[in-house]
Amino acid sequence: MKIPFSPEQASTIAGSIDAIYLYIVAVTIFFTALIYGLVAVFAVQYRRKSPDEVPGAIHGHNGLEITWTVIPLIISMTMFIWGTVVFFHYARPPKDAQEIFVVGKQWMWKIQHPSGKREINELHVPINKPVRLKMTSEDVLHSFYIPAFRVKMDVIPGRYSSLWFEATRLGSYHLFCTEYCGTQHSGMIGKVHVLSQEDYQKWLETGSAANTPVPVSGQELFKTLNCATCHNSGSGALGPNLNGIYGKPVQLADGSTVTADDKYIRRSILKPADQVVAGYAALMPSYQGQVNEEQIMQLIEYIKGLKETSAPAPASATEV
Ligand code: CUA
């Protein structure tokens, strides 16, 4: 159902978000009208009609008490359960969602597609395909908002947040920053372009010679930062072998176990001393200030792609 004065519905989730929104608004209007209406009616009907009029004693009414407790309970539970179902759908991107990387920065959106193609304040996406944005910020809090898709998520410095949608209509839609982030906050806007799948492929390929796929950029960084000096899979390596670690549990020196996810890898690059892997000395220097958020994402994508069976990284820097 289309709500008047609201943006058009251009994603799979827009209809269900609007439906629950309309339901909550309708219930609110109904009860507001009922309560204020009754206040007015009762004020007239039960007004004091003569100076010596004394009202009758009230003895309570269990049936009435139960009714006005149970009905609101049922109504609020429908909002809660319905809202939770929609929220779960919204919060869990489908496994096959295509990933696009977003870095917020005062005052622009920097976007990179897995093929390496970049854009600023514009986001091109294919129609009828789930897309997951992996987002972080280089400075302060921002928030990524596409009204026509009914999706919005905070973009937070120092961590990753994600947002997914599946566009259902071709066209261009507004993109806003919706978290006050400084002087030019209101100018931190852009456009989301929904293309047909063929047009999206064509768009990705234009100027593709200049693009380096994200994991390949990560691999190049891995080399130039000399990561392989220690993280080679040879025996006696100074750093843990990274092949196949993504998503796996890692035993730390303090006895605890963590999962090797984006957050863990990011922290290991910036604050390696915080989570030292069992069996290794805390030798790794911090790369804080040497890699920006985009580069950290690229390194993570490279490490993600390392299979257990990947060729061992060269044993020393001289061979790189
Ligand atoms: Cu970025 Cu407001």
Side-chain angles (χ1 to χ4, degrees):
M1 198 199 299
K2 173 89 174 77
I3 303 181
F5 309 115
S6 74
E8 54 190 315
Q9 300 171 335
S11 76
T12 50
I13 204 167
S16 46
I17 300 258
D18 284 358
I20 185 163
Y21 173 75
L22 264 188
Y23 170 67
I24 293 173
V25 170
V27 169
T28 309
I29 291 174
F30 174 78
F31 280 100
T32 305
L34 181 71
I35 290 164
Y36 282 90
L38 287 178
V39 166
V41 169
F42 289 170
V44 174
Q45 189 172 346
Y46 299 111
R47 71 186 187 283
R48 200 175 194 190
K49 285 161 191 145
S50 62
D52 54 350
E53 188 178 340
V54 178
I58 296 169
H59 301 289
H61 191 298
N62 283 344
L64 209 54
E65 301 264 1
I66 291 168
T67 310
W68 69 44
T69 305
V70 171
I71 292 176
L73 176 72
I74 292 171
I75 293 172
S76 48
M77 287 310 283
T78 58
M79 288 177 186
F80 171 68
I81 293 167
W82 187 0
T84 306
V85 169
V86 173
F87 175 77
F88 273 26
H89 179 59
Y90 178 67
R92 294 174 176 164
K95 286 263 180 296
D96 62 339
Q98 182 196 324
E99 215 168 41
I100 297 178
F101 309 96
V102 176
V103 175
K105 178 181 178 201
Q106 286 171 320
W107 289 275
M108 63 171 96
W109 296 109
K110 296 195 287 183
I111 291 162
Q112 189 170 27
H113 296 254
S115 71
K117 181 135 179 160
R118 292 166 196 275
E119 45 187 340
I120 286 181
N121 292 343
E122 284 194 277
L123 169 62
H124 288 75
V125 292
I127 194 169
N128 299 331
K129 244 190 138 192
V131 169
R132 184 171 93 92
L133 305 181
K134 181 172 154 188
M135 311 190 290
T136 191
S137 165
E138 254 175 46
D139 36 44
V140 299
L141 272 178
H142 302 277
S143 186
F144 197 92
Y145 179 33
I146 311 170
F149 294 176
R150 309 290 191 275
V151 293
K152 172 158 73 175
M153 182 56 71
D154 281 1
V155 177
I156 306 160
R159 56 165 110 154
Y160 295 117
S161 55
S162 81
L163 177 66
W164 84 274
F165 54 80
E166 184 176 331
T168 52
R169 259 192 219 192
L170 298 175
S172 294
Y173 304 98
H174 287 297
L175 158 64
F176 294 120
C177 174
T178 175
E179 182 74 57
Y180 182 69
C181 57
T183 319
Q184 300 293 320
H185 157 71
S186 61
M188 195 168 162
I189 54 177
K191 284 274 178 210
V192 179
H193 305 286
V194 179
L195 305 178
S196 71
Q197 300 194 4
E198 303 80 67
D199 286 350
Y200 176 70
Q201 279 311 321
K202 267 188 225 149
W203 176 83
L204 274 184
E205 281 155 23
T206 49
S208 61
N211 295 332
T212 312
V214 171
V216 176
S217 300
Q219 184 175 24
E220 285 165 4
L221 276 169
F222 200 81
K223 276 185 198 158
T224 53
L225 296 169
N226 289 323
C227 305
T229 309
C230 299
H231 295 284
N232 58 69
S233 42
S235 60
L238 294 175
N241 176 11
L242 303 179
N243 288 349
I245 61 149
Y246 192 83
K248 301 269 168 56
V250 177
Q251 184 79 46
L252 298 183
D254 65 6
S256 63
T257 305
V258 290
T259 303
D261 54 9
D262 296 350
K263 188 178 149 199
Y264 166 77
I265 298 173
R266 184 179 191 285
R267 194 167 165 194
S268 298
I269 295 169
L270 299 177
K271 293 184 172 176
D274 285 1
Q275 292 175 304
V276 177
V277 175
Y280 292 89
L283 294 171
M284 180 168 160
S286 165
Y287 283 79
Q288 188 104 47
Q290 296 189 51
V291 282
N292 62 28
E293 289 296 343
E294 275 174 278
Q295 292 173 318
I296 296 171
M297 282 188 183
Q298 291 162 353
L299 278 167
I300 292 174
E301 287 310 299
Y302 169 61
I303 292 168
K304 214 186 241 188
L306 291 173
K307 298 283 172 280
E308 236 151 321
T309 51
S310 294
S316 77
T318 50
E319 291 172 41
V320 176

